[in-house]
Amino acid sequence: MDWLEFSAAGLAFMATHLIPATPRIKAPLVATLGRAGYGIAFGLLALGLLYWLILAAARAPFIELWPQEIWMRWVANIVMPLVILISSYAIAAPNPFAFEGRATGFDPDRPGIAGITRQPFLWALVLWAGPHLLVNGDLAHAILFGVFLVFSLIGMRAMERRLIRRIGLAEFNRLAARTSLIPFAALLTGRWRPRGRPSALRLAIAVFAWAAVFHLHELVIGLSPAP
């Protein structure tokens, strides 16, 4: 039954994330709830299902694949502030390429976070899943974080192919001229140069969120993230 709960939680979480990728489902919800209402409702649903999935993984039978070492915890603690920082600057930023961004307000000559990468939140998920996969060496958590890692990488190309089909290759190339999918590739090739200062508000949100995640991790998840 423990594996059954883990499977059910995983399927529910994956099924829910078909919503933003399926215009026939998403559009009526946005029309009914409004864009802000939809974002809040979907965010709460996704967080609730993710929490259930994490708890279900913890309740699944423990089958060790590799032992946990202290240095693995250090890797997770070093990477997690970056994950939260990227997420803070990605969510609701002008970025027509990513599901967490908004299409309005995007300037191809000043692409903002999309200049670093067109898929910042998916890269944040990769950076989140990788260290958590490393530090949790049992079968259930290896499946959990391994699936997140693989699907985040696959999802990047899938998102872009879907956008190209919707707006056409020429328009995609126009919008993407100063951006890159691989982080910092546009910067290294000279196609993009940062202009202006990063949002101080988003930075403050990232610092607060990191502190909250670190200090509440044991209370919410049941394990301390400290090395």
Side-chain angles (χ1 to χ4, degrees), residues 57-209:
R59 287 193 285 259
F62 183 83
I63 302 174
E64 186 177 77
L65 302 178
W66 60 84
Q68 185 184 108
E69 305 287 348
I70 292 297
W71 67 267
M72 297 176 181
R73 285 181 168 245
W74 275 110
V75 170
N77 276 275
I78 290 170
V79 173
M80 278 306 297
L82 180 59
V83 170
I84 294 172
L85 183 67
I86 294 171
S87 301
S88 176
Y89 279 93
I91 295 173
N95 182 2
F97 306 101
F99 71 88
E100 78 277 4
R102 68 177 195 269
T104 58
F106 180 75
D107 181 355
D109 292 324
R110 299 170 64 94
I113 187 69
I116 298 175
T117 173
R118 292 191 293 268
Q119 300 294 336
F121 191 70
L122 287 178
W123 277 112
L125 283 178
V126 169
L127 292 174
W128 169 76
H132 279 80
L133 173 61
L134 178 67
V135 81
N136 291 280
D138 63 283
L139 179 59
H141 286 94
I143 293 172
L144 171 62
F145 294 115
V147 168
F148 267 106
L149 182 63
V150 170
F151 273 84
S152 296
L153 291 170
I154 293 174
M156 297 180 193
R157 288 296 185 186
M159 289 285 296
E160 305 221 323
R161 286 195 296 267
R162 189 177 297 114
L163 181 60
I164 290 171
R165 288 197 300 268
R166 184 163 60 85
I167 67 175
L169 182 59
E171 178 64 6
F172 178 89
N173 288 336
R174 185 187 72 83
L175 295 174
R178 299 186 184 278
T179 71
S180 60
L181 181 59
I182 304 301
F184 297 106
L187 178 65
L188 295 175
T189 57
R191 291 186 289 113
W192 173 71
R193 289 290 182 269
R195 301 180 187 179
R197 297 180 180 179
S199 167
L201 176 60
R202 287 180 180 265
L203 177 60
I205 291 172
V207 172
F208 176 80

